[in-house]
Amino acid sequence: MSPRPMARPGGRSARVQESVHTAVRELTTEVGRDALTVPMVAARAGVTPSTVYRRWGDLQELLSDVAVERLRPDTAPEDHGDLHADLTAWAEQFLDEMASPPGRAYIRDALLGDPDGTNAGRCSAYAAEQVDVVLARAAGRGEAVPDTETVVDRVVAPIMYRILFRPGRLDDAYARRLVAGLLGAPE
């Protein structure tokens, strides 16, 4: 399979992407993910099926692209006044969103249509960017902070592993234990 060309920001390419993504989200709600077809999505989006195939390759790659966009955080992490509170609140929200049925479906789709790991890297970057905000805020307050990769390894990675392979007993207490263990703080 040849690599997909980079889309130009803005213009027709952006409009096509938005209309196709919207069509996927609407049709998933209306008929279910398993009933989706490229011609169905194309018709709803007002483009030809060949446009979808040319841009995304196949339905799974399209679903993966939509999933990655849905996994992108909408807002910066909230400021709760200190690193422990900020990171705990972020980890609880991350776990809640990723472990929810829609979150699990997006993770599955993001990974299934990702033969070269690009989408997994984008999703990882989203989490790292959120962690960076929390850490920069704490450093600005004069707090000692771990590096981003340590937070990813000790908080994000265990959450994702548990979501994918051991989904039982995932709750806020689990997220709090991970953060407390990282920061050496009481739970």
Side-chain angles (χ1 to χ4, degrees):
M1 177 193 311
S2 64
R4 289 177 284 186
M6 293 298 291
R8 294 178 297 145
R12 182 179 186 281
S13 181
R15 288 190 303 274
V16 167
Q17 179 175 337
E18 181 55 35
S19 66
V20 170
H21 279 215
T22 299
V24 168
R25 290 189 305 269
E26 290 172 354
L27 288 166
T28 299
T29 300
E30 293 170 20
V31 302
R33 182 190 170 285
D34 293 338
L36 286 181
T37 65
V38 168
M40 183 187 297
V41 171
R44 173 66 63 93
V47 299
T48 64
S50 63
T51 297
V52 175
Y53 288 120
R54 194 170 39 253
R55 175 125 184 210
W56 285 280
D58 62 21
L59 181 62
Q60 190 57 58
E61 287 187 42
L62 171 58
L63 291 172
S64 183
D65 192 47
V66 170
V68 169
E69 287 305 309
R70 299 300 290 176
L71 290 169
R72 179 192 308 262
D74 294 333
T75 60
E78 290 185 36
D79 186 345
H80 296 276
D82 66 63
L83 177 60
H84 186 263
D86 286 355
L87 195 53
T88 299
W90 179 82
E92 289 173 353
Q93 180 179 353
F94 180 77
L95 186 147
D96 185 55
E97 290 174 359
M98 295 299 114
S100 71
R104 288 175 195 268
Y106 291 137
I107 292 167
R108 180 192 67 230
D109 283 343
L111 297 177
L112 283 175
D114 188 27
D116 63 3
T118 301
N119 289 342
R122 286 172 58 200
C123 292
S124 177
Y126 296 156
E129 288 165 7
Q130 294 273 292
V131 169
D132 284 342
V133 169
V134 170
L135 298 179
R137 190 182 297 143
R141 290 188 294 251
E143 296 177 73
V145 298
D147 64 272
T148 300
E149 289 306 308
T150 299
V151 177
V152 168
D153 289 345
R154 303 224 6 230
V155 177
V156 177
I159 288 173
M160 291 305 295
Y161 179 86
R162 293 291 296 267
I163 288 169
L164 291 171
F165 301 112
R166 297 182 57 95
R169 296 184 5 209
L170 284 174
D171 56 16
D172 287 351
Y174 179 68
R176 286 192 298 273
R177 283 192 306 276
L178 291 173
V179 172
L182 169 70
L183 298 178
E187 291 179 36

